[in-house]
Amino acid sequence: DTAVSQTPKYLVTQMGNDKSIKCEQNLGHDTMYWYKQDSKKFLKIMFSYNNKELIINETVPNRFSPKSPDKAHLNLHINSLELGDSAVYFCASSRLGDIPRSYTFGSGTRLTVV
Amino acid sequence: QKEVEQNSGPLSVPEGAIASLNCTYSDRGSQSFFWYRQYSGKSPELIMFIYSNGDKEDGRFTAQLNKASQYVSLLIRDSQPSDSATYLCAVKRGYGGSQGNLIFGKGTKLSVKP
């Protein structure tokens, strides 16, 4: 009955590989997000997406791409992985109209690029 | 200037004391303000939100907002060792598009000593 679930929890891969992280929410939320948390704990937004609009943080390399097969899922694809991509990636969701419109976070995916 | 700034700490307080966490933000048009708590290796969880100038209390937690000074704070009364975590300040600038995204500070690490 997890609200926002991410898989895998840990991912170790070599430079240059392509990988995906999956995210699913069962809260009926209409907007989903991907955040990157670096080693200094800084949470930085990468994407936000609802069924009408994809907003991309302009600092995100185009090697990163979100894919949403439906409202409950927002997967993150990463091509040509680099050492600097190592971080914890959090998926989150929210609902427009909720007060407060706070986010529910998944448990995170720790990506290590070697 | 960073959008949301926090003192990274660590902030160390004795058990039973008041812990005071501070946050400033750069966008004067910001609408809503959140405090998240993140335990090591876990995902952020919402503990307080505030929209209006003044104080808002919830149990041992009090959020304070001063929009004129672009300042938001979190007070934790009767601090407990279980409060030891990183506290993330987050700001939402508006309601639509990228304005609706939560922008996080780098967090303040709080340590409550028994």
Side-chain angles (χ1 to χ4, degrees):
Chain A
D1 59 348
T2 304
V4 180
S5 60
Q6 294 179 229
T7 54
K9 191 169 176 65
Y10 300 96
L11 181 55
V12 180
T13 188
Q14 290 186 327
M15 284 176 56
N17 284 351
D18 302 338
K19 290 294 179 184
S20 295
I21 306 172
K22 295 185 177 181
C23 180
E24 175 182 4
Q25 55 94 6
N26 62 5
L27 298 167
H29 286 172
D30 51 35
T31 308
M32 297 182 72
Y33 312 83
W34 279 105
Y35 278 82
K36 178 181 180 181
Q37 189 169 45
D38 60 26
S39 58
K40 296 186 178 180
K41 299 294 189 183
F42 186 33
L43 258 179
K44 189 170 182 180
I45 190 159
M46 302 176 70
F47 305 100
S48 65
Y49 182 78
N50 61 31
N51 59 3
K52 297 178 183 177
E53 190 176 21
L54 170 65
I55 298 172
I56 302 171
N57 184 321
E58 64 273 10
T59 66
V60 175
N62 58 15
R63 298 181 295 103
F64 290 79
S65 58
K67 297 282 194 300
S68 181
D70 55 56
K71 283 179 58 173
H73 297 82
L74 184 66
N75 303 324
L76 182 65
H77 295 267
I78 316 170
N79 294 325
S80 304
L81 278 154
E82 301 178 357
L83 292 176
D85 298 333
S86 296
V88 180
Y89 292 83
F90 285 100
C91 177
S93 68
S94 70
R95 176 165 37 215
L96 184 65
D98 279 357
I99 297 176
R101 191 181 176 190
S102 65
Y103 293 10
T104 302
F105 282 85
S107 58
T109 296
R110 183 174 294 278
L111 171 65
T112 303
V113 183
V114 297
Chain B
Q1 181 184 7
K2 293 186 175 61
E3 294 191 67
V4 181
E5 294 207 55
Q6 297 179 252
N7 186 329
S8 61
L11 173 66
S12 184
V13 300
E15 184 174 356
I18 296 176
S20 178
L21 304 161
N22 303 317
C23 173
T24 58
Y25 58 95
S26 60
D27 189 335
R28 188 169 288 278
S30 296
Q31 300 284 335
S32 47
F33 307 86
F34 303 81
W35 282 99
Y36 281 78
R37 177 176 62 200
Q38 186 176 24
Y39 292 112
S40 181
K42 300 296 185 182
S43 58
E45 56 178 332
L46 178 70
I47 53 172
M48 288 288 289
F49 65 94
I50 187 166
Y51 298 138
S52 304
N53 278 329
D55 295 0
K56 179 181 179 182
E57 187 173 319
D58 183 0
R60 295 186 297 112
F61 299 97
T62 298
Q64 299 175 317
L65 175 61
N66 184 325
K67 287 188 176 181
S69 300
Q70 295 174 241
Y71 174 89
V72 58
S73 66
L74 179 70
L75 301 177
I76 306 175
R77 290 182 299 283
D78 187 24
S79 296
Q80 302 296 309
S82 59
D83 294 326
S84 298
T86 297
Y87 289 80
L88 303 168
C89 173
V91 173
K92 189 178 292 183
R93 290 172 289 180
Y95 300 101
S98 63
Q99 300 285 315
N101 293 337
L102 274 181
I103 307 300
F104 284 85
K106 290 191 175 184
T108 298
K109 187 170 184 178
L110 173 67
S111 177
V112 181
K113 304 295 186 185

